[in-house]
Amino acid sequence: MSTQQSSPPEWLSLGDDEEILWQDTPTLTTEASTFVWAGLLTVTVILAPIGLLMAASSYLAVQNREYVMTTQKFYQKSGVLSTATEESAVGNMQNMS
């Protein structure tokens, strides 16, 4: 599910000649295996807290990740307690399948 916005997210500072081409967040299916294991661990009473923590941390990790592609760079923001932003020049990107 991609979104198009006329203005960049608050965490992103674009250069004068940059414009957003694409912006999106990951889906919860990226953490499907963690949710399956968390569900199995939750079934047992002793391991329930571990399973719930696994599910909660995976959910928060997915919900706090965002991608933005501009005319010049690709940005990835991630983090729950603190955020980190990574950027790559579009010309340096390979194998985008």
Side-chain angles (χ1 to χ4, degrees), residues 6 13 25 27 30 34 37-41 46 49 55 68 73 80 82-83 85 89 94:
S6 58
S13 299
T25 58
T27 63
T30 58
T34 304
W37 279 108
L40 292 173
L41 291 173
I46 295 172
V68 175
K73 295 181 182 176
V80 177
S82 64
T83 58
T85 304
Q94 298 177 5

Side-chain angles (χ1 to χ4, degrees), residues 14-72:
L14 296 178
D16 291 336
D17 53 348
E18 272 187 287
E19 70 176 82
I20 295 177
L21 299 176
W22 173 82
Q23 181 176 349
D24 206 356
T25 58
T27 63
L28 289 176
T29 56
T30 58
E31 295 292 330
S33 63
T34 304
F35 288 121
V36 169
W37 279 108
L40 292 173
L41 291 173
T42 303
V43 171
T44 62
V45 175
I46 295 172
L47 298 177
I50 295 171
L52 292 172
L53 285 173
M54 286 175 62
S57 67
S58 290
Y59 176 79
L60 288 173
V62 169
Q63 291 301 310
N64 290 289
R65 192 177 311 141
E66 188 173 353
Y67 306 106
V68 175
M69 178 174 261
T70 69
T71 51
Q72 296 181 5

